Amino acid sequence: MAIERTFSILKPDATRRNLTGKINAVFEAAGLRIVAQKRIHMTRAQAEAFYGVHKERGFFNDLVTFMTSGPVVVQVLEGENAVAKHREVMGATNPANAAEGTVRKLFAESIEANSVHGSDSLENAAIEIAYFFAGTEIVG
Ligand code: RTP
Ligand code: MG
């Protein structure tokens, strides 16, 4: 299996409840290595552009408001099959459907305040990483 990099966000509900270490522990236990990480407060313009694919969805405005409601931690995670592995340990979007032991089952508050974001493909991972990180900030 190939070593991949994926893009991750610890969302405002996670930073507000001081859960960043607990969530990172789940990632690291799954074999994902944090090769870049920074805490930022996204602007509305940044969040709107990041979630541009969802702009026609009914939840878009609420999502942008939520993602700018507090600090987030943006991350690059590296490991074997990292995109799929990260999605697996995050769990289903709606925590009510998330499997036992997943981040969203353990920590998410709702379908919106679901603690984490993860890229859904290797192509999107590269785009999302480049949106938030310079190459020199990623140290494998
Ligand atoms: P993410 O992009 O955050 O990793 O999550 P995902 O792929 O599992 O979910 P996606 O369909 O891409 O939706 C992006 C984020 O929008 C919020 N959402 N709210 N109120 C709603 O019905 C609803 N549906 C989605 C969630 O924060 C979701 O993670
Ligand atoms: Mg998504």
Side-chain angles (χ1 to χ4, degrees):
M1 243 178 282
I3 300 291
E4 296 176 349
R5 284 178 176 173
T6 193
F7 177 72
S8 172
I9 305 178
L10 309 183
K11 294 184 178 182
D13 67 289
T15 60
R16 176 170 48 76
R17 290 177 291 150
N18 214 19
L19 292 172
T20 64
K22 286 201 168 108
I23 295 171
N24 279 344
V26 175
F27 294 160
E28 291 181 340
L32 295 165
R33 187 172 292 274
I34 301 162
V35 295
Q37 173 166 260
K38 61 189 172 189
R39 185 173 173 102
I40 63 168
H41 196 138
M42 267 196 235
T43 64
R44 217 171 157 87
Q46 252 178 328
E48 282 173 357
F50 181 74
Y51 281 115
V53 301
H54 294 310
K55 66 175 180 292
E56 305 304 332
R57 309 281 289 276
F59 60 78
F60 178 72
N61 267 310
D62 286 347
L63 175 61
V64 169
T65 298
F66 167 62
M67 290 300 290
T68 56
S69 68
V72 299
V73 176
V74 291
Q75 311 177 302
V76 181
L77 306 179
E78 183 180 273
E80 275 188 12
N81 211 16
V83 173
K85 186 176 285 180
H86 184 226
R87 298 284 293 183
E88 188 184 323
V89 297
M90 287 198 309
T93 309
N94 186 344
N97 303 327
E100 290 298 329
T102 61
V103 170
R104 285 166 168 166
K105 176 72 174 187
L106 288 166
F107 303 118
E109 295 183 314
S110 66
I111 190 169
E112 176 179 83
N114 59 3
S115 304
V116 281
H117 162 84
S119 304
D120 57 13
S121 68
L122 202 50
E123 298 92 309
N124 283 337
I127 293 166
E128 292 176 1
I129 289 168
Y131 189 63
F132 286 102
F133 289 98
T136 50
E137 293 179 298
I138 304 168
V139 183

